[in-house]
Amino acid sequence: MDRHLTLAVCQTGPVQRSATRAETVGRLVHLLERAAAAGAELAVFPEMALTTFFPRWTLDESEIEGFYEERVPGPQTQPLFDAARRLRLGFALGYSEIADEDGRKRRFNTMDLVDADGSLVGRYRKIHLPGSEASEAGTTVHLERRYFEPGNLGFPVFAYRGARIGLALCNDRRWPETYRMLCLNGAEVVLIGYNTPAVLAEAPTLDHLRMFHNHLPMQAGAYQNTVWVAAAAKAGVEEGQALIGGSCIIAPTGEIAALAVSVDDEVIVHRADLGLIDTCRRVNFDFARYRRPSEYGLIAERAGPVA
Ligand code: CDT
């Protein structure tokens, strides 16, 4: 039986601090409409799609409140969920979450998977938080560790239109564990949102590799785990900081099947053949047949210290 899922990546251009939530949500609704018109069955938006990437600044408590969502959908994000229902198109949305949990306020960098009827399918909270808690001399200010806790939901996989979907956020995409854990949990498609600076003060000699290092781990993750990857950037110059684009849809072969060409609001679409996962698995990565987890620990123990 043929199994396909038409994926849309809704890349956004910059979201400036002055933008209202209504304006930003309006942009996202428009992107969702474009994705639906192109035949998409599932769309992915960037990390922190509702606001500017505020961890680029050192802010105090009184200044950060407005960047977090207490409830999703809430009054300001409801139009997006109404659009999903109207268009019969589910989506994954990255945003900053503030939750009442364990008797205290907890903040997470979160992505929700929303069904085509506007209901919540599942939630992921970013595990790999890059940067630092306070700005450090000679480095790009990137304070996710100041504003968020590491995710506490593991790497869950959710059913959507008969496909198994995993979620990840930005720096997660650079770690092999992300794809491996999601795929051990049965993921067939991994949806990713990101905000990635085009240059880093700490490593200017690597600037020319920023896009290569964006695609390399996602293509390797897709290939080595026989999974589709769809990744949405927030791109362009946001509050004076250039963010890379390069949003893409990657096949389980590791090939880029669709690629954004701008650093602005843009939709790319690809009809993903889920059958390709089995084909690629047969060639090499049949985990049940060929992985040897029982051996990996032994090899590490035997290796001993480097002489
Ligand atoms: N948002 C996010 O995770 N960005 C990181 C850049 C970190 S720069 C210190 C990324 O891996 O793209």
Side-chain angles (χ1 to χ4, degrees):
M1 185 189 67
D2 273 5
R3 290 178 66 230
H4 288 84
L5 187 68
T6 303
L7 300 169
V9 168
C10 297
Q11 173 177 287
T12 72
V15 177
Q16 308 302 348
R17 192 172 181 177
S18 59
T20 65
R21 215 46 126 254
E23 284 165 357
T24 306
V25 168
R27 274 169 72 183
L28 301 185
V29 168
H30 184 56
L31 287 169
L32 209 58
E33 288 168 346
R34 285 166 55 182
E41 296 173 293
L42 178 59
V44 55
F45 290 110
E47 173 192 47
M48 257 181 253
L50 299 171
T51 63
T52 201
F53 189 80
F54 65 93
R56 68 168 65 88
W57 296 304
T58 306
L59 302 170
D60 62 38
E61 284 291 314
S62 64
E63 295 171 295
I64 58 172
E65 208 171 276
F67 292 116
Y68 294 87
E69 309 301 311
E70 281 187 28
R71 216 156 35 88
V72 171
Q76 291 173 310
T77 46
Q78 188 61 48
L80 200 46
F81 292 74
D82 295 342
R85 199 173 309 118
R86 172 169 52 87
L87 302 166
R88 302 296 309 157
L89 176 56
F91 62 83
L93 175 73
Y95 65 94
S96 304
E97 177 193 5
I98 185 158
D100 238 322
E101 244 179 50
D102 306 325
R104 64 190 172 94
K105 295 276 185 208
R106 302 184 67 176
R107 298 185 176 112
F108 299 100
N109 189 344
T110 294
M111 180 172 256
D112 280 357
L113 180 63
V114 175
D115 220 330
D117 64 0
S119 64
L120 178 71
V121 177
R123 176 162 294 170
Y124 168 71
R125 289 169 171 164
K126 183 175 180 178
I127 287 180
H128 301 99
L129 296 178
S132 49
E133 277 153 35
S135 61
E136 292 168 4
T139 68
T140 301
V141 182
H142 192 105
L143 305 180
E144 284 191 59
R145 300 167 85 92
R146 177 187 182 94
Y147 299 121
F148 302 108
E149 294 180 45
N152 58 353
L153 302 176
F155 284 109
V157 170
F158 308 104
Y160 178 89
R161 287 199 189 195
R164 293 187 296 274
I165 311 294
L167 308 174
L169 284 164
C170 200
N171 193 262
D172 286 326
R173 78 192 187 287
R174 304 190 191 276
W175 296 85
E177 290 86 346
T178 300
Y179 309 91
R180 183 50 50 98
M181 294 313 297
L182 284 170
C183 292
L184 287 172
N185 286 337
E188 297 175 293
V189 178
V190 176
L191 304 178
I192 300 173
Y194 59 95
N195 285 255
T196 292
V199 296
L200 289 183
E202 51 269 57
T205 53
L206 303 183
D207 283 353
H208 65 294
L209 299 172
R210 296 297 283 160
M211 190 57 77
F212 175 61
H213 287 163
N214 177 38
H215 290 144
L216 175 71
M218 294 196 286
Q219 291 182 257
Y223 171 65
Q224 293 177 328
N225 297 281
T226 57
V227 70
W228 283 89
V229 171
K234 170 129 66 61
V237 181
E238 188 180 86
E239 295 295 337
Q241 180 179 45
L243 301 173
I244 64 165
S247 298
C248 54
I249 299 173
I250 300 168
T253 54
E255 294 166 288
I256 295 181
L259 180 63
V261 293
S262 75
V263 284
D264 212 333
D265 289 9
E266 181 177 346
V267 178
I268 56 170
V269 175
H270 184 80
R271 186 167 179 262
D273 175 3
L274 301 180
L276 193 52
I277 293 170
D278 287 333
T279 308
C280 291
R281 204 161 284 177
R282 276 196 297 277
V283 173
N284 206 66
F285 294 111
D286 182 340
F287 285 0
R289 191 167 183 195
Y290 297 119
R291 267 184 96 242
R292 284 288 170 267
S294 60
E295 300 300 322
Y296 303 152
L298 277 176
I299 289 166
E301 267 170 44
R302 281 181 198 151
V306 177

